[in-house]
């Protein structure tokens, strides 16, 4: 019965990917043009990845129905051969584009990092939000946004050993076949009391790093101190919301 209720609910409220309408907070011609290009880029990306994104959104609706809370991480990444992010889409002359994509990932409710004292329907006003993830060590070491001196000290563990204790018994024994080392990462976005850019803190549950942060820097992608500034977007359908 519960499964049918969830399926009927999703069919009633969700039938296509959204079209985003973005507005620049800065009225200068360059900023407006950049936002208009970003809007086109995002909507093209939504259409190109229609099936994948629909699956993420449907899964988030299931999370909300069963757990009372759903979350997705939304980001836009642009890098070129200069090594630094370029504000204008399309990059600069003479630079080769390395990465130019919209990132949309569902966060499982149990992997959310939220302040325990903040009410469910007030989480968008929380002082911090974050998530937990288990990532291959080599992927972490290759991430250009993390401190290479710290990531070089990562030792890693087998994936199964990093899972929740209650889930270990439900999986097959991978010790003999899976030799890929993983690390459990904690990524937290912190709102500044003075306003302005968010801070991003990345920590690893790993003996090699000796609790040194992998990153603590400004997450300045237009995220301000208002309620809309989080790269983590929450869905909680309840009466107070």
């Amino acid at each position: 019965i519960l499964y049918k209720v969830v399926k009927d609910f999703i069919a009633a409220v969700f039938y296509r990917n959204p079209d985003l309408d973005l507005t620049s907070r800065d009225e200068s011609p360059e900023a407006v043009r950049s936002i208009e290009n970003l809007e086109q880029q995002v909507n093209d990306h939504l259409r190109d990845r229609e099936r994948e994104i629909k699956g993420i959104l449907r899964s988030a609706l299931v999370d909300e129905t069963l757990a009372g809370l759903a979350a997705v991480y939304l980001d836009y990444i642009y890098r070129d051969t200069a090594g630094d992010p370029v504000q204008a889409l399309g990059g600069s002359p003479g630079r080769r584009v390395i990465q130019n994509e919209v990132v949309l990932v569902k966060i499982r409710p149990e992997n959310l990092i939220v302040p325990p004292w903040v009410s469910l329907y007030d989480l968008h006003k929380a002082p911090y939000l974050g998530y937990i993830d288990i990532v291959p060590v080599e992927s972490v070491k290759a991430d250009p946004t993390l401190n290479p001196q710290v990531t070089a000290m990562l030792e890693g563990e087998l994936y199964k050993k990093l899972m929740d204790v209650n889930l270990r018994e439900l999986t097959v024994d991978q010790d003999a076949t899976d030799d890929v080392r993983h690390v459990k990462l904690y990524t937290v976005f912190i709102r500044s009391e003075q306003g302005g850019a968010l801070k991003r803190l990345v920590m690893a549950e790993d003996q090699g790093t000796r609790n040194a942060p992998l990153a603590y820097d400004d997450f300045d992608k237009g995220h301000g101190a208002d309620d809309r500034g989080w790269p983590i977007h929450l869905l909680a359908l309840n009466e107070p919301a």
Side-chain angles (χ1 to χ4, degrees):
I1 294 175
L2 179 60
Y3 177 79
K4 185 178 187 307
V5 169
V6 173
K7 298 293 288 186
D8 290 347
F9 168 73
I10 293 175
V13 302
F14 175 74
Y15 58 94
R16 68 179 179 86
N17 289 338
D19 287 326
L20 300 188
D21 184 10
L22 305 180
T23 303
S24 175
R25 299 178 186 177
D26 186 342
E27 296 182 357
S28 66
E30 294 80 6
V32 171
R33 183 166 56 252
S34 177
I35 292 300
E36 289 176 348
N37 291 339
L38 177 60
E39 177 184 310
Q40 184 65 47
Q41 177 82 12
V42 171
N43 285 325
D44 287 346
H45 191 76
L46 286 171
R47 283 187 287 272
D48 292 342
R49 295 172 56 190
E50 181 176 9
R51 293 186 63 182
E52 176 188 352
I53 293 174
K54 274 187 176 180
I56 292 174
L57 296 180
R58 287 177 180 271
S59 181
L61 288 172
V62 172
D63 286 346
E64 189 285 325
T65 305
L66 301 181
L69 180 66
V72 295
Y73 175 78
L74 179 63
D75 193 9
Y76 175 73
I77 300 176
Y78 180 91
R79 292 190 301 119
D80 60 24
T81 50
D84 297 323
V86 177
Q87 297 298 324
L89 291 174
S92 300
R95 296 183 178 183
R96 179 174 58 85
V97 175
I98 299 174
Q99 191 172 11
N100 183 12
E101 63 177 321
V102 176
V103 177
L104 178 65
V105 181
K106 193 196 80 164
I107 304 172
R108 295 170 63 94
E110 64 267 29
N111 290 336
L112 271 172
I113 300 174
V114 298
W117 64 86
V118 178
S119 300
L120 176 66
Y121 52 87
D122 274 339
L123 283 177
H124 61 290
K125 299 178 182 178
Y128 65 84
L129 288 176
Y131 61 91
I132 304 170
D133 198 8
I134 300 177
V135 185
V137 169
E138 295 306 317
S139 297
V140 178
K141 292 182 178 181
D143 189 336
T145 68
L146 302 178
N147 186 332
Q149 295 179 342
V150 180
T151 58
M153 298 187 294
L154 290 171
E155 298 176 358
E157 279 281 7
L158 295 178
Y159 187 92
K160 182 178 179 180
K161 294 183 178 180
L162 296 174
M163 295 174 63
D164 183 270
V165 175
N166 295 328
L167 295 177
R168 293 178 189 173
E169 303 303 324
L170 301 179
T171 60
V172 297
D173 187 1
Q174 297 177 329
D175 292 351
T177 58
D178 186 5
D179 59 352
V180 177
R181 311 292 286 186
H182 289 73
V183 61
K184 182 176 288 188
L185 294 184
Y186 299 81
T187 302
V188 181
F189 299 95
I190 305 169
R191 177 173 288 154
S192 170
E193 295 182 359
Q194 292 76 33
L198 298 172
K199 287 287 188 181
R200 182 189 65 148
L201 172 65
V202 183
M203 300 288 293
E205 186 178 304
D206 190 272
Q207 295 180 351
T209 59
R210 300 179 178 85
N211 296 323
L214 279 65
Y216 183 65
D217 49 20
D218 288 340
F219 191 79
D220 190 4
K221 298 186 177 182
H223 302 84
D226 61 17
D227 296 343
R228 299 168 295 176
W230 299 111
I232 297 175
H233 300 267
L234 304 173
L235 174 63
L237 300 182
N238 51 70
E239 293 182 358

